[in-house]
Amino acid sequence: MSGKAFQYYVFLMDFEEETHKVKMLILPAKAASTRVTPNERAKLQFVLENNRLRPYKYFVSDKIGSEFKRPNEITQVFRKAKGIIISLDAQPKDYHLFEEYFKAFNIKAPTIRRICRLCLIDQQKVTILPDDREYSVSGRKACYQCAKDELDRELNSREIKLTKNGRNHFYRMLRKIKKIDDILETFTYNFRPAKRPDLTIFDTIGDIDDLSDAKYLDQLAIPGRLKEILKKIGIKKLLPIQVKALQAGLLHEENLLIVAGTSSGKTLIGEMAGLLKALQGKKMIYLSPLVALTNQKYEDFKKKYSPEGLRVAIRVGMSKIDVGEEERYIIDTGYRNAQIITATYEAFDLLLRNAKARDLGDIGTVIIDEIQLLNQKERGPELDGIIARVKNLFPKAQILGLSATIGNPEELAEDLKLKILIHETRPIPLERHIILAKDQDEKEIHLRDLILAEYNVKSSHGYFGQTIVFTNSRRHCYELAGKLNKSGLRTTVYHSGLTYQERKRAEAGFAEGKFASIITTAALGAGVDFPASQVIFESLAMGIEWISVAEFYQMTGRAGRLGYHDKGKVVLLVQPNRKYHRSMDESEDSVAFSLLSEEIEDVDPLMEGERQLEQILATIVALKEPTLKDIVKAYSQMLGPSEPLKDTLQALQELEMINIYQEGPRATKLGKATSRTFLHPSEAGAIKKKLQTVSPLEIAIDLEPFSSIFLTSKIQSEIEKTLRSGYIGSNLFAGSVLEYMENALDKRPNLPKLIIGTFAKWQTEIFNCNCTDNPWCDCGQRSLSRLIVKLRLENENLRKITTALQTGYNLYAYPGDIYRWFDTLIHHLRAVAKLAVVFDERGTMKLALNTIRMIERPWIVSKLKRIQKAKRTDISKISK
């Protein structure tokens, strides 16, 4: 070996002090530092001569074989080595004797290094451990590879099945923590993540705002009256993003796309621009996708700006349904004399489609919140069309788009002709944690501990920590809330099925700190403002689909608010390999790591087919008498059209929605009625055929029957007892429920009386059609819809309707869902009435309007019946 011309290291190990024996490995000098395979192994023995160590025996083993060599060759091997290494934990007590030998024979002094003992024992290889790459495995120092192998063995022995992304996370945690025992602690049954957040943290996202860039109002060029109002509502300083907006021309008519995290202060940016215009006699329009968010902004603006003499109006398009004081909703207010108008996208668009643009007056600023919804399949084309109509009807208006979740902001800003303003930093840090739970019970233990731990922490601003919990269904909201309340943690539920008053109570209670947590579905994800310090994902599904990256970021943005909390915290409670529906391809742990690591999706609007026809028609109607040039311009301003304008205009003409003249396209009466009722053009044609043969109520129900109906927990648990899987869908029209009901007749003798009786009731009054594919046809939804209308006309309020469904059919509908369906039904009845006028079906029109009045105020029906009864009594007396 010593005669070969190559560089090598000598590694000495296993010193025997009594016999002066030592093992020697020859390591290639250019090999990687991890698990180096020795080129040669040897056993050396030294003897003491006059108290000095000298070589005595030299036994070599290599790939060729084994042999004894002359002892003096040992010294030559040492001299020619690039270096000599001795393990830190194997240095002999008589090392001074070896030092004397090395010095006497002009040999380089050895380097003392730490090695991985596991590599040496298990692999018969050598890994030199750099000081910053030492790992602890059961108290032994080891290399990363050995620690990783040990982690894999432990996970496999405990039957913990993780996806590749899941394992990669724990490998990353291992590189950070460097203690295998700490990592494995997270898999023990008694692990309490609330006490060891250092073992669950994934990262802290974003650079934290340097608030030294914030500026006092008096340091900024803000008009006096605007500055005065801002001070009155408690604004002393503007945050860095708000200062950036001023520098970008916010108060000088600049159109902006503002992309910044939740709680960064972007809404106030829109308010400042809108307020300045409102003070100048122009109007500020605030548009949002949700009724709840629009309500919240309406009340916020009214509270802040009404004392300044500014009138605030709301447009949400809700019908005037009499549901009593308890269920009262906010309905539209007068907008003509208001300086500030909050509206949902569709409610504002209805004003434009009804040619009310002139009534709106001089629009100064249009704020479009959650503008990333351009990417949504359902809402995207509508928002795309609204923006184009606003640009054409109010060309001088300043447009401000707000969003926290756009993957391609520069590209979108360019397409919208807006100046981009991106602010990626957060005003406070946001920790993201991931916790694995082996089952639902463990999830709930962790959930309780995390909420309690957060609620016991008081921020430097004087607020106790509160938690928003996202889960996948309303039913599960109540299950979790019930368990948390029983454990002493005051918790409430929030979802879209609640009535307006119920939501208001939940919002107020949470804002006042009465609740430690609030359990919700996606209803809170889209921007309703709650001062939560912690967000927990008890599930990463919404219904039967996994949430998207954009939705995930929208929801995580709820955690941590400047002026309330010192930091925000996001926790993902993940059950490996879990799927919530058989249609899901990925498991929960795989989805979790994708959400934490992937980029937010690009906003890429798409408008095709019926949706493109509807938006082009709406634009023609809104512009009243547009020239062809006007329509071409509006079409060019839309981002999503997939079909040529010429083809769209031709299709609308064939559907009798428009006529095309030399001066430009003009909407027909049918076209106007169709657009103003938000019907697809093809739907209007279908209604035309039904007007003479089908009642307005049936037509309206056909357009959107009621489907938000659920099994009561009583009947659902009874059914699940009979199933092997132990789970069935909660919606009456879920495939699993229909399949079970269809097959129940074959198992009738073996089923409980409750199930048999309930199914008999359903089949008699809901699934009672003669269709060959009953119950899979849509007749069941229509029958249920008629039943709900019937209950309403019997002068039943929302609560009584839910009670009647519960006691009579073992079904449950949330009052809020019933209210919104009645609102939708009324809109569709109005659509039928308008189309009936177009087709000269006056009787149908009157019947539709009378049906609306009866649904809005069912007591009218009772009053008419009493009057008719009284008249019959009077006639009877006269005849006698």
Side-chain angles (χ1 to χ4, degrees):
M1 176 65 70
S2 61
K4 294 181 180 179
F6 80 99
Q7 288 189 315
Y8 60 89
Y9 284 104
V10 168
F11 178 71
L12 300 178
M13 55 183 280
D14 294 348
F15 292 88
E16 295 181 14
E17 295 180 24
E18 292 183 4
T19 60
H20 306 300
K21 292 179 180 179
V22 62
K23 292 179 182 177
M24 179 177 75
L25 305 179
I26 302 297
L27 307 177
K30 293 184 179 180
S33 61
T34 303
R35 291 186 174 175
V36 178
T37 301
N39 288 84
E40 180 180 288
R41 298 174 186 272
K43 294 180 180 179
L44 312 180
Q45 185 173 5
F46 293 81
V47 294
L48 274 175
E49 296 177 357
N50 299 321
N51 208 31
R52 293 178 296 181
L53 282 182
R54 294 295 180 260
Y56 176 61
K57 288 183 181 180
Y58 182 13
F59 181 73
V60 177
S61 299
D62 57 21
K63 295 178 182 179
I64 299 173
S66 302
E67 63 175 321
F68 280 99
K69 293 190 176 184
R70 291 193 302 274
N72 63 351
E73 290 189 31
I74 295 175
T75 302
Q76 298 301 319
V77 170
F78 285 155
R79 282 177 177 166
K80 292 182 179 180
K82 189 175 181 180
I84 301 173
I85 302 169
I86 297 176
S87 174
L88 177 65
D89 55 1
Q91 192 173 346
K93 291 181 180 179
D94 57 355
Y95 181 64
H96 64 282
L97 297 174
F98 284 90
E99 284 183 311
E100 187 279 331
Y101 162 68
F102 292 140
K103 188 173 182 180
F105 288 87
N106 198 27
I107 298 170
K108 294 177 184 177
T111 302
I112 309 300
R113 301 291 298 275
R114 192 183 294 281
I115 67 161
C116 175
R117 298 297 297 178
L118 295 180
C119 281
L120 201 59
I121 295 169
D122 298 339
Q123 305 289 332
Q124 298 298 302
K125 296 179 181 180
V126 176
T127 298
I128 308 297
L129 297 177
D131 291 339
D132 61 341
R133 296 181 195 170
E134 294 179 0
Y135 295 81
S136 174
V137 177
S138 299
R140 290 183 173 183
K141 296 297 182 183
C143 67
Y144 169 71
Q145 190 60 49
C146 283
K148 179 173 172 287
D149 291 345
E150 180 66 17
L151 176 59
D152 285 336
R153 280 193 292 270
E154 286 290 337
L155 292 179
N156 292 335
S157 68
R158 301 179 191 202
E159 298 183 350
I160 299 171
K161 298 177 181 179
L162 293 174
T163 60
K164 182 180 178 181
N165 285 338
R167 291 206 177 229
N168 285 341
H169 164 67
F170 285 100
Y171 298 155
R172 187 177 64 84
M173 290 297 294
L174 179 61
R175 285 193 290 271
K176 179 181 177 182
I177 296 173
K178 294 185 170 60
K179 289 185 178 181
I180 190 73
D181 293 341
D182 281 358
I183 300 295
L184 294 175
E185 184 184 341
T186 65
F187 297 101
T188 60
Y189 182 76
N190 60 353
F191 174 60
R192 291 295 179 263
K195 295 180 179 179
R196 291 297 309 271
D198 58 308
L199 299 183
T200 63
I201 190 166
F202 183 83
D203 60 13
T204 300
I205 63 169
D207 297 325
I208 309 308
D209 249 345
D210 180 3
L211 295 180
S212 63
D213 292 338
K215 292 187 177 181
Y216 286 100
L217 293 179
D218 290 334
Q219 296 176 293
L220 298 164
I222 300 174
R225 180 76 174 114
L226 175 58
K227 188 181 293 186
E228 182 185 329
I229 293 175
L230 291 174
K231 287 180 179 179
K232 281 186 179 180
I233 62 174
I235 307 296
K236 297 178 181 178
K237 275 185 174 182
L238 291 190
L239 297 175
I241 183 179
Q242 295 158 354
V243 175
K244 279 186 184 179
L246 291 179
Q247 295 168 345
L250 176 70
L251 302 183
H252 298 282
E253 310 291 335
E254 191 70 61
N255 298 320
L256 299 173
L257 174 62
I258 302 156
V259 181
T262 305
S263 192
S264 61
K266 59 183 179 293
T267 303
L268 183 62
I269 293 174
E271 288 180 56
M272 286 193 292
L275 274 173
L276 182 62
K277 298 290 179 56
L279 294 170
Q280 295 168 354
K282 299 179 181 181
K283 292 194 176 183
M284 163 184 158
I285 309 294
Y286 170 87
L287 302 179
S288 87
L290 295 178
V291 172
L293 183 54
T294 304
N295 287 340
Q296 193 175 52
K297 294 301 181 186
Y298 167 66
E299 292 175 337
D300 180 44
F301 293 165
K302 195 164 63 166
K303 179 181 178 181
K304 291 192 296 189
Y305 306 128
S306 291
E308 305 303 322
L310 296 173
R311 287 184 290 275
V312 183
I314 186 171
R315 304 296 295 182
V316 288
M318 303 297 283
S319 302
K320 297 178 180 178
I321 305 172
D322 184 356
V323 288
E325 188 63 25
E326 170 62 19
E327 312 297 343
R328 180 178 57 83
Y329 280 70
I330 289 180
I331 58 175
D332 294 345
T333 59
Y335 63 89
R336 287 178 175 82
N337 297 320
Q339 288 81 36
I340 299 173
I341 302 171
T342 67
T344 57
Y345 298 157
E346 290 80 5
F348 183 72
D349 196 21
L350 182 60
L351 293 175
L352 305 185
R353 296 184 188 209
N354 276 309
K356 303 292 186 184
R358 185 174 296 177
D359 294 344
L360 284 165
D362 191 356
I363 303 297
T365 305
V366 178
I367 304 162
I368 306 168
D369 208 351
E370 311 295 347
I371 199 171
Q372 78 281 352
L373 292 183
L374 280 165
N375 211 37
Q376 224 179 50
K377 183 178 179 181
E378 299 296 327
R379 305 288 291 278
E382 171 69 14
L383 181 54
D384 195 0
I386 290 171
I387 293 171
R389 290 189 278 282
V390 165
K391 287 180 177 180
N392 281 271
L393 289 167
F394 313 107
K396 294 182 180 180
Q398 179 183 21
I399 296 176
L400 302 173
L402 310 181
S403 178
T405 52
I406 296 176
N408 56 336
E410 293 90 351
E411 180 185 345
L412 183 62
E414 184 178 349
D415 291 343
L416 289 169
K417 303 295 188 290
L418 305 176
K419 184 176 180 179
I420 187 67
L421 176 58
I422 302 176
H423 191 75
E424 295 179 344
T425 55
R426 284 180 56 88
I428 59 174
L430 181 65
E431 290 182 359
R432 304 196 300 177
H433 296 253
I434 186 162
I435 298 168
L436 298 189
K438 73 175 189 300
D439 53 30
Q440 184 61 34
D441 288 342
E442 194 168 71
K443 266 192 180 186
E444 290 170 9
I445 291 170
H446 294 334
L447 183 67
R448 183 196 62 217
D449 289 351
L450 290 164
I451 293 171
L452 179 61
E454 191 71 13
Y455 201 47
N456 285 333
V457 174
K458 192 174 185 179
S459 75
S460 61
H461 303 280
Y463 294 93
F464 287 98
Q466 292 172 278
T467 302
I468 296 173
V469 179
F470 288 110
T471 190
N472 65 314
S473 71
R474 296 172 180 178
R475 177 190 178 194
H476 201 43
C477 282
Y478 287 99
E479 290 173 350
L480 292 174
K483 291 175 181 178
L484 289 169
N485 277 311
K486 283 182 180 178
S487 71
L489 286 170
R490 193 172 179 197
T491 300
T492 191
V493 166
Y494 192 96
H495 57 75
S496 56
L498 300 179
T499 65
Y500 172 73
Q501 295 299 328
E502 288 172 330
R503 288 202 303 271
K504 288 302 296 178
R505 282 195 291 270
E507 291 169 13
F510 196 83
E512 293 165 8
K514 293 179 180 178
F515 299 113
S517 63
I518 190 164
I519 318 292
T520 184
T521 56
L524 268 179
V528 179
D529 194 16
F530 277 73
S533 57
Q534 178 174 246
V535 164
I536 298 177
F537 288 85
E538 189 274 340
S539 165
L540 295 173
M542 286 298 160
I544 61 172
E545 295 183 356
W546 298 116
I547 60 176
S548 68
V549 177
E551 289 168 334
F552 174 69
Y553 273 84
Q554 192 76 31
M555 294 173 182
T556 60
R558 303 292 109 208
R561 191 201 290 182
L562 185 65
Y564 283 76
H565 314 118
D566 301 314
K567 68 178 179 179
K569 187 185 291 184
V570 172
V571 182
L572 284 69
L573 288 177
V574 175
Q575 187 175 334
N577 302 301
R578 182 172 186 181
K579 297 179 181 179
Y580 292 87
H581 193 266
R582 57 177 172 266
S583 64
M584 291 174 162
D585 294 328
E586 296 182 90
S587 59
E588 191 166 52
D589 53 319
S590 176
V591 170
F593 293 107
S594 296
L595 292 173
L596 288 165
S597 58
E598 289 183 2
E599 296 291 326
I600 297 172
E601 298 92 349
D602 288 350
V603 173
D604 186 17
L606 177 63
M607 185 190 295
E608 57 186 352
E610 283 274 14
R611 301 187 193 286
Q612 183 166 326
L613 291 176
E614 182 187 352
Q615 293 309 313
I616 297 300
L617 176 60
T619 303
I620 294 171
V621 171
L623 297 184
K624 287 189 177 181
E625 297 181 351
T627 63
L628 187 58
K629 185 178 179 180
D630 292 334
I631 294 303
V632 170
K633 179 183 175 184
Y635 174 84
S636 69
Q637 291 171 330
M638 295 179 187
L639 308 187
S642 58
E643 298 159 21
L645 176 61
K646 182 180 178 181
D647 293 350
T648 302
L649 293 175
Q650 185 176 344
L652 288 171
Q653 188 173 34
E654 290 173 359
L655 290 167
E656 301 178 0
M657 297 290 150
I658 64 170
N659 290 318
I660 301 177
Y661 302 104
Q662 187 172 358
E663 56 268 29
R666 298 290 183 268
T668 63
K669 289 183 179 179
L670 175 59
K672 290 177 183 177
T674 301
S675 180
R676 289 167 181 172
T677 52
F678 287 84
L679 294 173
H680 293 313
S682 62
E683 286 179 325
I687 290 173
K688 178 182 178 181
K689 297 176 182 178
K690 296 179 181 178
L691 285 174
Q692 293 181 334
T693 58
V694 181
S695 74
L697 180 60
E698 287 297 319
I699 296 172
I701 287 174
D702 279 347
L703 287 170
E704 189 173 333
F706 186 78
S707 59
S708 297
I709 189 76
F710 305 93
L711 312 189
T712 60
S713 56
K714 181 180 179 182
I715 190 68
Q716 185 165 9
S717 61
E718 196 71 16
I719 292 173
E720 288 177 347
K721 287 178 185 176
T722 70
L723 294 172
R724 289 182 181 177
S725 66
Y727 177 80
I728 196 166
S730 58
N731 189 288
L732 173 63
F733 302 110
S736 58
V737 176
L738 297 179
E739 184 178 3
Y740 183 89
M741 184 177 68
E742 191 176 31
N743 297 328
L745 292 174
D746 301 331
K747 305 173 183 177
R748 187 184 293 270
N750 301 318
L751 292 177
K753 290 182 180 180
L754 176 64
I755 295 178
I756 295 299
T758 300
F759 283 4
K761 186 81 168 177
W762 292 354
Q763 288 170 342
T764 302
E765 300 189 32
I766 298 175
F767 301 100
N768 53 1
C769 67
N770 295 320
C771 297
T772 55
D773 56 346
N774 181 349
W776 300 92
C777 56
D778 294 331
C779 297
Q781 293 185 21
R782 290 195 286 270
S783 294
L784 176 67
S785 302
R786 293 186 204 105
L787 174 60
I788 291 174
V789 172
K790 178 175 177 289
L791 290 170
R792 173 64 177 171
L793 296 182
E794 290 173 355
N795 204 6
E796 301 286 0
N797 62 28
L798 301 184
R799 297 283 174 193
K800 288 184 178 179
I801 292 174
T802 62
T803 301
L805 292 170
Q806 212 166 349
T807 56
Y809 302 89
N810 277 314
L811 296 173
Y812 185 81
Y814 292 97
D817 286 337
I818 296 174
Y819 180 92
R820 274 180 290 281
W821 181 72
F822 279 141
D823 181 67
T824 300
L825 185 68
I826 287 169
H827 282 297
H828 286 148
L829 283 166
R830 287 201 181 101
V832 173
K834 288 181 179 180
L835 291 177
V837 171
V838 172
F839 298 120
D840 200 27
E841 296 287 343
R842 298 286 171 176
T844 303
M845 181 267 289
K846 290 180 180 178
L847 183 55
L849 295 178
N850 283 334
T851 306
I852 290 172
R853 282 193 287 270
M854 288 189 292
I855 292 173
E856 286 183 335
R857 291 174 176 78
W859 49 263
I860 292 175
V861 179
S862 301
K863 185 177 180 180
L864 289 173
K865 285 181 179 178
R866 287 196 301 271
I867 292 171
Q868 290 173 350
K869 184 178 180 181
K871 284 181 179 179
R872 285 196 298 270
T873 303
D874 291 342
I875 292 170
S876 175
K877 288 179 180 178
I878 292 171
S879 63
K880 288 181 180 179

